[in-house]
Amino acid sequence: MQQNKKMIQQGYNTVAKKTMESPVMRELDELISQVSTFDTLVLIRGESGSGKEVVARRIHEASPRAGKAFVPVNCGAIPADLLESELFGHEKGAFTGAVATRQGRFELAEGGTLFLDEIGDMSLPMQVKLLRVLQERCFERVGSNETKHCNVRILAATHRNLEDMVAEGTFRQDLFYRLDVFPIEVPALREHTEDVAALMSIFMEKLEAKGMRTPRFSTSAMRALKVYGWPGNIRELENLMERLSITHPGKLIGMNDLPKQFRTLGMVELKVNDERADQDALMTSLLARPSEDDFDVALEVSPANVKPPLPVEGIDLKSYLQDIEQWFISEALRKEDGVVTRAAQLLGLQRTTLAEKMKKLGVL
């Protein structure tokens, strides 16, 4: 079971290993290794798209709670008046629309890890209630007076400057210090562009596993991608890989084949309009000329790379396939925020079929 789990989670582990070429990512890996074995609160900070949830998942997978649920909640995506019910659950009739009793994310994460993403977007009244849970490890469902105790590890993340928010009065100082026990800063992709090629390989392998044909990249294209500023960080890189796999399946990508914003070779923005116009004209002229570097293959992913190797000691195939099924169901439920109907659509199953499989496999 544990061996199967490690093989199935290879995607997350591969990200960790392949991005360790840069010093900043090696430092990040060391911090994750140090804190994973403890139940310490961790505040993960970094720009949007930099991989904060991946860091949270790596901490969970390396912790003693790895066998239990990892439950993510995007505090910025849930309306403030619904977040309390989402986190703590509610009783039937607690409010209009509460037609049945519902468990909250704290209960779903019991024994495991609750990841509070974008915690800086949480309202002040909700911050007070969260602080109480962090201090006393108990809560009540909406509409109930029964106190429930919880055994959950909390990981939080934000792209906001919480110190500034504390000074402005939009984030509670006591909650900030409660969360900021072990801060981890996830670097922006522009700070470790030497990892671009490794990350591209990871994303292309995932696309190949989904049946898509990924392109090959020339030396000139790779040079352009490594000097690009990546304002959208790792998420922008992943989206680019999918886009190019659709527009250039199996083809060699030269610098001219990249979207326009990636073809500036990292030139800085000039304030003088005339100078900028001259620069754009020069770049257009240069890009129109094919280069030998446009025909050299610098990066490609073989479909064979995405197939898991057969362990030397053999494998329990039935158990492995069951674990794969369980993992994909859990991932679909996570991506669809626990909505079974949408998760079933994502998996190509009928809702009733998925519900039966969830019951059989013990997936909440």
Side-chain angles (χ1 to χ4, degrees):
M1 176 72 174
Q2 288 300 319
Q3 179 190 28
N4 295 346
K5 186 173 183 180
K6 288 180 181 178
M7 293 176 67
I8 296 166
Q9 289 290 342
Q10 193 174 19
Y12 293 117
N13 295 336
T14 301
V15 170
K17 292 175 182 177
K18 287 191 177 182
T19 57
M20 287 304 106
E21 298 176 19
S22 62
V24 291
M25 292 303 286
R26 285 199 295 269
E27 290 174 10
L28 176 64
D29 189 53
E30 178 64 21
L31 289 174
I32 292 172
S33 176
Q34 289 173 349
V35 78
S36 292
T37 55
F38 302 99
D39 268 351
T40 304
L41 280 165
V42 179
L43 180 60
I44 306 168
R45 312 178 76 162
E47 296 179 7
S48 295
S50 58
K52 296 187 291 296
E53 183 171 342
V54 172
V55 170
R57 285 182 175 276
R58 287 184 56 200
I59 292 173
H60 172 72
E61 289 299 327
S63 77
R65 296 176 179 267
K68 299 292 184 177
F70 176 89
V71 180
V73 182
N74 189 325
C75 300
I78 301 172
D81 56 339
L82 297 180
L83 186 56
E84 181 179 5
S85 170
E86 190 68 28
L87 290 178
F88 306 134
H90 61 254
E91 297 293 336
K92 180 179 179 180
F95 51 84
T96 303
V99 296
T101 297
R102 184 175 184 270
Q103 286 185 321
R105 299 299 179 95
F106 270 93
E107 289 181 77
L108 294 176
E110 180 65 20
T113 302
L114 180 65
F115 175 52
L116 300 175
D117 197 8
E118 298 303 348
I119 197 166
D121 294 340
M122 185 177 286
S123 67
L124 283 170
M126 194 63 225
Q127 291 176 33
V128 175
K129 294 174 181 178
L130 175 62
L131 180 62
R132 183 223 170 184
V133 179
L134 296 182
Q135 291 174 333
E136 301 179 14
R137 294 290 169 177
C138 62
F139 63 92
E140 292 83 34
R141 289 179 181 169
V142 177
S144 171
N145 294 322
E146 179 187 353
T147 299
K148 291 183 175 291
H149 294 271
C150 61
N151 173 23
V152 175
R153 182 181 189 174
I154 303 295
L155 305 177
T158 183
H159 72 282
R160 298 182 179 275
N161 187 317
L162 295 185
E163 289 88 346
D164 287 350
M165 293 182 67
V166 168
E168 295 165 359
T170 55
F171 198 86
R172 291 183 61 94
Q173 186 179 55
D174 47 5
L175 178 58
F176 170 70
Y177 286 121
R178 174 66 66 170
L179 293 170
D180 199 37
V181 178
F182 194 94
I184 290 181
E185 188 75 31
V186 182
L189 182 53
R190 63 181 174 275
E191 298 173 14
H192 59 109
T193 53
E194 59 264 54
D195 297 320
V196 164
L199 289 165
M200 289 170 64
S201 296
I202 293 166
F203 297 140
M204 288 194 292
E205 287 173 10
K206 288 170 63 178
L207 293 168
E208 291 277 353
K210 294 196 297 185
M212 299 179 70
R213 290 189 63 198
T214 56
R216 296 168 294 153
F217 289 85
S218 69
T219 301
S220 63
M222 291 303 300
R223 185 164 55 243
L225 293 176
K226 287 182 179 180
V227 298
Y228 177 64
W230 297 108
N233 291 298
I234 293 176
R235 185 181 298 128
E236 183 181 9
L237 177 59
E238 183 173 17
N239 291 342
L240 177 65
M241 293 303 99
E242 184 167 2
R243 173 180 176 179
L244 293 176
S245 296
I246 294 171
T247 58
H248 295 75
K251 298 178 182 178
L252 179 62
I253 299 286
M255 187 166 65
N256 285 335
D257 299 311
L258 296 172
K260 183 178 179 180
Q261 67 268 31
F262 298 95
R263 303 198 300 260
T264 60
L265 292 179
M267 289 189 176
V268 297
E269 189 72 31
L270 299 179
K271 294 182 180 179
V272 181
N273 291 336
D274 290 343
E275 291 182 0
R276 182 66 198 175
D278 290 343
Q279 186 187 85
D280 288 343
L282 175 61
M283 285 302 303
T284 300
S285 174
L286 291 173
L287 290 172
R289 305 175 185 176
S291 163
E292 290 184 4
D293 288 348
D294 284 331
F295 304 101
D296 295 334
V297 179
L299 180 67
E300 64 179 321
V301 171
S302 168
N305 291 344
V306 303
K307 297 175 183 177
L310 179 66
V312 176
E313 65 273 20
I315 189 174
D316 182 342
L317 185 59
K318 183 177 179 181
S319 173
Y320 178 67
L321 293 176
Q322 186 179 65
D323 289 344
I324 288 179
E325 187 175 31
Q326 184 176 10
W327 185 80
F328 274 116
I329 289 173
S330 297
E331 281 294 284
L333 289 168
R334 179 184 67 83
K335 289 183 178 180
E336 297 300 342
D337 292 324
V339 179
V340 177
T341 301
R342 293 207 304 263
Q345 293 174 348
L346 197 61
L347 295 168
L349 299 173
Q350 295 291 327
R351 186 189 185 284
T352 53
T353 302
L354 177 56
E356 291 173 1
K357 288 181 177 292
M358 289 170 62
K359 184 177 180 180
K360 177 182 176 183
L361 297 171
V363 178
L364 294 176

